[in-house]
PDB file of all heavy atoms in Angstrom:
ATOM      1  N   ILE H 846      19.735  18.163 -36.361  1.00  0.00           N
ATOM      2  CA  ILE H 846      18.723  18.966 -37.080  1.00  0.00           C
ATOM      3  C   ILE H 846      18.491  20.283 -36.332  1.00  0.00           C
ATOM      4  O   ILE H 846      18.402  21.358 -36.944  1.00  0.00           O
ATOM      5  CB  ILE H 846      17.418  18.153 -37.218  1.00  0.00           C
ATOM      6  CG1 ILE H 846      17.652  16.998 -38.204  1.00  0.00           C
ATOM      7  CG2 ILE H 846      16.277  19.043 -37.700  1.00  0.00           C
ATOM      8  CD1 ILE H 846      16.567  15.949 -38.162  1.00  0.00           C
ATOM      9  N   GLY H 847      18.394  20.164 -34.999  1.00  0.00           N
ATOM     10  CA  GLY H 847      18.200  21.382 -34.188  1.00  0.00           C
ATOM     11  C   GLY H 847      19.331  22.360 -34.439  1.00  0.00           C
ATOM     12  O   GLY H 847      19.113  23.572 -34.628  1.00  0.00           O
ATOM     13  N   ALA H 848      20.545  21.807 -34.478  1.00  0.00           N
ATOM     14  CA  ALA H 848      21.708  22.675 -34.694  1.00  0.00           C
ATOM     15  C   ALA H 848      21.655  23.324 -36.083  1.00  0.00           C
ATOM     16  O   ALA H 848      21.908  24.530 -36.240  1.00  0.00           O
ATOM     17  CB  ALA H 848      22.985  21.839 -34.549  1.00  0.00           C
ATOM     18  N   PHE H 849      21.288  22.505 -37.089  1.00  0.00           N
ATOM     19  CA  PHE H 849      21.182  23.071 -38.449  1.00  0.00           C
ATOM     20  C   PHE H 849      20.107  24.164 -38.518  1.00  0.00           C
ATOM     21  O   PHE H 849      20.276  25.200 -39.159  1.00  0.00           O
ATOM     22  CB  PHE H 849      20.859  21.960 -39.462  1.00  0.00           C
ATOM     23  CG  PHE H 849      22.082  21.188 -39.894  1.00  0.00           C
ATOM     24  CD1 PHE H 849      22.209  19.842 -39.671  1.00  0.00           C
ATOM     25  CD2 PHE H 849      23.125  21.861 -40.551  1.00  0.00           C
ATOM     26  CE1 PHE H 849      23.338  19.153 -40.069  1.00  0.00           C
ATOM     27  CE2 PHE H 849      24.248  21.169 -40.958  1.00  0.00           C
ATOM     28  CZ  PHE H 849      24.366  19.809 -40.712  1.00  0.00           C
ATOM     29  N   ALA H 850      18.982  23.940 -37.854  1.00  0.00           N
ATOM     30  CA  ALA H 850      17.878  24.904 -37.889  1.00  0.00           C
ATOM     31  C   ALA H 850      18.313  26.228 -37.250  1.00  0.00           C
ATOM     32  O   ALA H 850      18.025  27.318 -37.778  1.00  0.00           O
ATOM     33  CB  ALA H 850      16.666  24.315 -37.162  1.00  0.00           C
ATOM     34  N   LEU H 851      19.021  26.080 -36.086  1.00  0.00           N
ATOM     35  CA  LEU H 851      19.513  27.305 -35.433  1.00  0.00           C
ATOM     36  C   LEU H 851      20.481  28.044 -36.355  1.00  0.00           C
ATOM     37  O   LEU H 851      20.459  29.278 -36.474  1.00  0.00           O
ATOM     38  CB  LEU H 851      20.208  26.960 -34.112  1.00  0.00           C
ATOM     39  CG  LEU H 851      19.269  26.684 -32.927  1.00  0.00           C
ATOM     40  CD1 LEU H 851      20.058  26.199 -31.733  1.00  0.00           C
ATOM     41  CD2 LEU H 851      18.492  27.937 -32.564  1.00  0.00           C
ATOM     42  N   ALA H 852      21.314  27.216 -37.007  1.00  0.00           N
ATOM     43  CA  ALA H 852      22.254  27.832 -37.945  1.00  0.00           C
ATOM     44  C   ALA H 852      21.504  28.559 -39.061  1.00  0.00           C
ATOM     45  O   ALA H 852      21.900  29.653 -39.510  1.00  0.00           O
ATOM     46  CB  ALA H 852      23.162  26.746 -38.531  1.00  0.00           C
ATOM     47  N   GLY H 853      20.376  27.981 -39.491  1.00  0.00           N
ATOM     48  CA  GLY H 853      19.549  28.596 -40.528  1.00  0.00           C
ATOM     49  C   GLY H 853      18.985  29.930 -40.052  1.00  0.00           C
ATOM     50  O   GLY H 853      18.959  30.921 -40.811  1.00  0.00           O
ATOM     51  N   ILE H 854      18.556  29.973 -38.778  1.00  0.00           N
ATOM     52  CA  ILE H 854      18.008  31.221 -38.232  1.00  0.00           C
ATOM     53  C   ILE H 854      19.094  32.297 -38.210  1.00  0.00           C
ATOM     54  O   ILE H 854      18.866  33.447 -38.662  1.00  0.00           O
ATOM     55  CB  ILE H 854      17.455  30.967 -36.817  1.00  0.00           C
ATOM     56  CG1 ILE H 854      16.216  30.072 -36.911  1.00  0.00           C
ATOM     57  CG2 ILE H 854      17.127  32.281 -36.101  1.00  0.00           C
ATOM     58  CD1 ILE H 854      15.761  29.542 -35.577  1.00  0.00           C
TER      59      ILE H 854
END
Side-chain angles (χ1 to χ4, degrees):
Chain H
I846 290 166
F849 278 119
L851 281 173
I854 292 169

